[in-house]
Amino acid sequence: MDILNWVGRFHPALVHLPIGILIIAAVFHWISARRPGWKGTAVVSTLYFFGFLAAAVAAFAGWMLAKEGGYQSDTIFWHRWLGILMVILSFVLWRLNRNTSRITMSWLGVGLIFGLLLVGHLGGEMTHGENYMVENAPNFVKKLASYEEGTHYPVYNDPDSTLVYADIIMPILEKKCWTCHSNNITKGGLNMEDLEAFLKGGKNGKVIEGTATSSELFKRVTLDPESKKFMPPKGNALSYGEIKLLEWWLDSGAPTDKSIASLETPANIQSILLSRYQLDTKPKSYIEKTKVDAVTEETMEKIRQHGFSIRQIAMNNNFVDVGWRDVDSLSVNNEIGILEEIADKIAWLDLGSTNLDDASFKVIGTMKNLVRLKVEDNPVTDAAIKDLSDLKHLESLNLYKTKITDICAADLVNLKELKKLFIWQTEFGDEGSTQLKAALPKVEVIGGYTLNTPPSD
Ligand code: HEC
């Protein structure tokens, strides 16, 4: 029920109320047990009552919140039942306050304070993560809490300069294995700190051989943890992400000097690298990878005066997107020469419905970094396509409603990166498509006609 979920959301705010009231109650209780006749004694019972009431309401909201799920199961177990114990304890303190020995009762009150602190701490852990309270604490507190710095991963920005072994794999082994397999101690004859020794292996020979599944190193960390041979035999086992990274490294041939960028990264590894190290390894598109100098504002202004629209494609990318503004007195065929000045900086060009003629394609052909070209609805013929042969990065070409025919397929095959070709309402048909597909299987030919579904009769 939605309304109960909603009530649950109030839990983190509501809990402060009983904690405050009950702590005051317990402190008053403690003082009044030691100083008979103290004025504050009169309110102790009332404070416990309101503390109990507030605790019960907060616990109910907490129960509703827990039903939404998403919390770690053992922490929530302790938090929940300790919380309920606090409700009961405050009830007991309220009811029995008058009759039972004051000293015993005030000790119960002290127990209540500690219980409240512990419950609150467990709750905080669930919302903020385990190390929230020690992360920025002075060193002696960190020691007390046996907080390991190593649980926080470094941030890597660049897959080209991040090394798979030195930056990713070695720190994992260092943290989880070096206590027993290092220059100082070589349990099982295995030293993982010294690379040469590591590759040589342990007393039973190589621990890295072939792929992950054939390597002793990987077998030992993926055994049943109850097994005698499971590694590490004590201390923290490798996490799921660490095992996956190790597997990926071994399956890639266990390189010790390669960068992340030089390896294939399957989707699951991409997401582990991203969440653990904020390392983005998704393949970049051509215009993301390629850097060009910015077109100056002055040049942009000049180009605009020649009837074009021009803007950078993104804040952090200097490539430009150029179009035609359809200024009455100007013809695109007369003005297009101005674009030669910035030819290699144009990634997207849109000259659809501008009466563009074949001759203008001489200029378009010099735009070597062009990725998307729209020239639909123009009197363009097969001859124009010849001039596009140097556009090695062109991915999308719109020739809808032009005068092209199957003949231009012979030139289109030069556009090695072409992924989308729009040919609706042209004479480009069956024959051209077949020829193009044979040379560039990736191409999707989009038009009234599709290769795989011949018209039914
Ligand atoms: C607490 C000490 C300890 C830790 C930590 C530890 N090991 Fe071991 N390791 C041993 C002992 C003892 C042996 C020898 C007995 C055996 O082979 O099971 C051994 C043997 C091995 C061997 C077999 C070597 C051979 O040639 O027989 C491999 C592989 C291995 N460990 C991998 C690991 C990995 C990977 C880690 C970290 C995830 C790790 N160990 C962490 C104690 C440890």
Side-chain angles (χ1 to χ4, degrees), residues 188-189 201-207 216 220 229:
K203 66 177 189 310
N204 294 311
K206 289 196 167 184
V207 295
E216 189 67 14
R220 290 295 194 106
K229 305 215 130 191

Side-chain angles (χ1 to χ4, degrees), residues 176-177 179-181 187-188 192 202-204 217 220 231-233:
K176 304 268 169 97
C177 317
T179 38
C180 302
H181 301 285
K187 293 270 170 73
M192 299 193 192
K203 66 177 189 310
N204 294 311
L217 191 73
R220 290 295 194 106
M231 289 291 145

